[in-house]
Amino acid sequence: MSDPQRREFLAAAGIASLAALGGAQPAAGGDPSFMNNVPDPTLAGKDLPTFKFALEKSDGKVIGNSYGKEATVAQLPISKGIAGVSMRLEPGAMRELHWHATAAEWAFVLEGRVRTTVVDPGGLAETNDFDPGDVWYFPRGHGHMLQCLGDKPCHFILIFDNGYFSEFGTFSITDWVGHTPPALLAKNFGLPEAAFATFPKEEVYFARGNLPPAEPSKPLQGWKLPPQTHKYRLLAQPPHATYRGGREWRVDSLSFPIAKTITGVVLDLDPGALRTLHWHPNADEWQYVVEGEVSVTLFGSHGRYRVERLQKGDVGYIPQGYGHSIENVGSGPARILIGFNAGIYETIDLSQWIAANPKDVLATNFGQPAEVFGKFPDRDVFIAGKDGAAR
């Protein structure tokens, strides 16, 4: 969908939302940004809703020793902009050939090795092998599969740029073929109907077979590679930045051009360290705690403030523009995987905002002597150590 088409679609959706909220009229001028003033019923109450979901403790979809567990608006109603899935594949298992009609897919490998294939609308295809710390991105609607590589299980986190997306409502190839009349399949592929007699009649979802070969096999059509790779080795890179209290790895479309709608961050916080108060003007934020225990705060205006404690395997969600922080409150290091539904990373930190103003403005704003603000940081802190921001 082109940008003009998308704006028209969003404008129409916003007008429909306004009507549903009681007949309020859209702002004049046709600017779709007026939709930002339409209260989201989930966030319009006097108290902020929970923004935490215990993903790894949920039941999910289990077949054999493979599973998929999802966090969408069905499980976490606040998470309308981003959905996530924790998936584990046993050796010899494959998340079968499928596509997502309503979301792009971004993934981070936690354990084991994964092989993927993906095809684009031009018939160009790529096969890649992934290790822990690697990332993939598949644009919306592109067909792909995910396969455990080697004799050990693999575990990865999938992030989708649509909170209404459901991993269990994707378009799987066995489901499609199994429900298509054999005569139509025969005509489509130029084969006798009998060729499809033993094909699955229902969705397989997790397919099982022999361990895949160590090196990728050549596709039926031969190698026809796309101009942009779907793979990025995030943790093989040096950190984007290192601070007194932690480190941050970051990948957006500037370094991974195909990932036009999702940015990913791996945030390491030392014990007691704080990802300082900030907000993201252009994206929602989805958090998955890889290791440790963190306290996440959420500020929603009009005195609304909520704190959630997230442990390993939990998910947190921050709506676009809402103030928040992440603090390591455990005894050991914490690692948080963070996804944003925008291709460019943007943040405004409270320390940066303060530092961008003169003392007299701050004195008037807070009703304090100007000299008080000479003690504040004169730069963005981003991560503060356990003893606070360094001067």
Side-chain angles (χ1 to χ4, degrees), residues 173-246:
I173 196 169
T174 55
D175 196 22
W176 194 9
V177 171
H179 288 88
T180 300
L184 183 56
L185 292 171
K187 186 173 185 179
N188 191 86
F189 292 103
L191 296 171
E193 291 186 30
F196 302 95
T198 59
F199 275 50
K201 304 304 180 189
E202 304 290 340
E203 181 185 43
V204 171
Y205 195 83
F206 290 133
R208 291 189 186 84
N210 297 326
L211 296 182
E215 296 297 325
S217 304
K218 187 171 72 171
L220 295 178
Q221 68 175 6
W223 298 109
K224 295 183 179 180
L225 297 177
Q228 294 181 333
T229 183
H230 299 78
K231 176 179 178 178
Y232 185 83
R233 306 210 65 205
L234 179 57
L235 292 191
Q237 314 298 320
H240 173 78
T242 300
Y243 304 89
R244 252 182 95 198

Side-chain angles (χ1 to χ4, degrees), residues 29-62:
D31 180 1
S33 66
F34 76 84
M35 288 186 299
N36 290 331
N37 297 319
V38 179
D40 178 344
T42 308
L43 296 168
K46 68 175 184 176
D47 297 315
L48 292 173
T50 183
F51 56 91
K52 169 187 173 180
F53 177 66
L55 178 61
E56 296 297 356
K57 293 179 181 177
S58 64
D59 294 332
K61 185 184 188 82
V62 181

Side-chain angles (χ1 to χ4, degrees), residues 249-263:
W249 288 262
R250 184 189 303 171
V251 55
D252 63 10
S253 60
L254 297 178
S255 52
F256 189 26
I258 199 170
K260 298 187 185 306
T261 66
I262 300 177
T263 290

Side-chain angles (χ1 to χ4, degrees), residues 309-320:
R309 203 175 183 99
L310 276 62
Q311 298 176 325
K312 180 177 179 179
D314 289 347
V315 164
Y317 184 86
I318 309 295
Q320 178 178 328

Side-chain angles (χ1 to χ4, degrees), residues 16 24 34 82 104 122 129 150 152 162 168 172 181 205 209 229 251 271-272 300 307-309 323 349 355 362:
F34 76 84
I82 305 175
D129 293 347
K152 293 181 174 58
N162 181 350
F168 311 139
S172 295
Y205 195 83
T229 183
V251 55
V307 183
E308 300 275 17
R309 203 175 183 99
D349 290 15
L362 297 169

